Amino acid sequence: MSTSAGPKSQTPPNNHSEKFTRERIIRPLPTKQFRGMPEQTKVTDPVQRNCEYYFEDGNVILRVEDIWYKLHRSQLERHSPIFRELFTIPQPEHSNEGLSDDNPIVLSGIQAINFTRLLWLIYPPILGTCKITTVDEWMSIFEQADRWQMDGLRTHALSQLRGLYIEPIRKIIFWLRYNLPINELIPAYADILTRPQSLSVGEAHEIGLEMFVKIAQARDMLHADGLCRYSHKGFSVGKDQILANVIKRVFGLPVAVSNSAFSPQPSPV
């Protein structure tokens, strides 16, 4: 069984059979290591069991990339309607899919490191603790929660991201991708528009041509209006109004000039 659950923001397919597709994994035959075999000819199975999340009392075996996980269906079903639906898909008679390493349920379109991070929260090593601390990790958790429709975890991950410093370009890309509140991007746009340097080639590639052109246009408008583009700190109300007008015109975000309108993100550590 293979499944690739898309982001929650995408429209789900109408046909139930299109949501999940089955895929048999053809596993290489095991090879034996004979005494005296040259070192360079040794062959090992590339798939391995996850050292933390292959439980002996688990009752479903999943494969993500080249990693096996043996988990508890009840835990996954409890937190995710996608897993509940996945496990109820009819299987052929006498099928042992998901019951052995030779025939696991394959979750495609996911990186093993991201799925493992999700399991950190489903199976915390110590109750009441959380190993997730960085922007990368919380973005990973948010993406997995969105994929598996774990709404409570998605909300929690977003609240954690709101309290962390995220590079403006990266934040804009992430917020737009998941249709998050666009008014929360105002400080990010303000940072980009008023910083000394223009976008780099790498940043332009990340953010895409359309957004690159909008940012360049907004920076030119600020320059034409006489707003210093080299420092946002200490702007007067008049200059803040100019910045607000430009953001509104170019990005379609109504900005009310106030002490909090251009509040910066949490400072990077």
Side-chain angles (χ1 to χ4, degrees):
M1 180 187 300
S2 171
T3 177
S4 176
K8 185 177 179 181
S9 56
Q10 298 179 357
T11 303
N14 294 326
N15 191 327
H16 179 79
S17 63
E18 293 178 358
K19 186 175 293 185
F20 303 110
T21 59
R22 297 184 179 280
E23 171 185 342
R24 288 288 179 184
I25 296 302
I26 302 177
R27 184 183 176 205
L29 293 175
T31 58
K32 294 183 179 180
Q33 176 63 41
F34 296 100
R35 185 175 301 175
M37 176 183 284
E39 182 69 22
Q40 63 270 25
T41 63
K42 292 182 180 179
V43 179
T44 57
D45 192 333
V47 183
Q48 57 184 323
R49 296 176 175 181
N50 184 276
C51 59
E52 291 183 88
Y53 300 109
Y54 193 95
F55 300 105
E56 290 304 319
D57 64 342
N59 56 3
V60 61
I61 296 176
L62 308 177
R63 176 174 172 175
V64 181
E65 293 187 313
D66 292 330
I67 304 294
W68 282 311
Y69 302 85
K70 190 173 184 181
L71 307 172
H72 305 88
R73 281 184 51 170
S74 60
Q75 279 288 86
L76 300 175
E77 291 174 340
R78 176 184 180 187
H79 298 290
S80 167
I82 299 297
F83 275 116
R84 285 198 296 272
E85 188 170 356
L86 171 64
F87 294 142
T88 58
I89 295 178
Q91 298 189 44
E93 190 177 0
H94 307 305
S95 171
N96 68 341
E97 195 167 25
L99 302 179
S100 70
D101 289 353
D102 292 320
N103 192 18
I105 295 173
V106 180
L107 305 183
S108 59
I110 307 173
Q111 292 184 324
I113 180 59
N114 293 329
F115 189 68
T116 298
R117 286 170 176 166
L118 177 65
L119 296 179
W120 288 353
L121 297 180
I122 295 178
Y123 294 95
I126 302 176
L127 289 177
T129 64
C130 179
K131 296 171 64 174
I132 309 297
T133 58
T134 68
V135 169
D136 283 344
E137 291 170 343
W138 279 117
M139 282 188 170
S140 173
I141 292 298
F142 181 95
E143 290 167 348
Q144 288 297 302
D146 186 81
R147 177 184 296 272
W148 301 110
Q149 295 184 15
M150 299 177 175
D151 294 340
L153 182 56
R154 186 182 188 273
T155 299
H156 178 65
L158 180 58
S159 71
Q160 295 299 312
L161 287 170
R162 284 172 172 151
L164 297 172
Y165 173 79
I166 306 174
E167 294 178 358
I169 292 292
R170 189 178 187 188
K171 182 170 185 176
I172 291 171
I173 294 171
F174 192 86
W175 254 242
L176 293 180
R177 176 184 178 187
Y178 289 101
N179 296 319
L180 299 175
I182 58 175
N183 63 299
E184 296 178 5
L185 293 178
I186 292 172
Y189 284 126
D191 285 346
I192 294 172
L193 298 183
T194 59
R195 76 183 195 181
Q197 68 276 19
S198 300
L199 293 184
S200 67
V201 174
E203 289 174 325
H205 178 74
E206 283 185 281
I207 208 164
L209 178 61
E210 182 179 354
M211 183 59 69
F212 171 77
V213 171
K214 285 185 176 182
I215 290 174
Q217 177 188 7
R219 287 171 63 88
D220 288 343
M221 290 170 64
L222 290 177
H223 183 64
D225 287 338
L227 183 62
C228 176
R229 67 172 73 185
Y230 300 109
S231 174
H232 179 59
K233 294 180 179 179
F235 279 173
S236 65
V237 172
K239 290 184 176 181
D240 273 354
Q241 186 63 60
I242 293 174
L243 181 57
N245 290 339
V246 168
I247 291 176
K248 179 179 180 180
R249 288 167 58 188
V250 176
F251 303 104
L253 299 177
V255 183
V257 177
S258 66
N259 293 335
S260 60
F262 301 112
S263 299
Q265 298 189 78
S267 300
V269 179

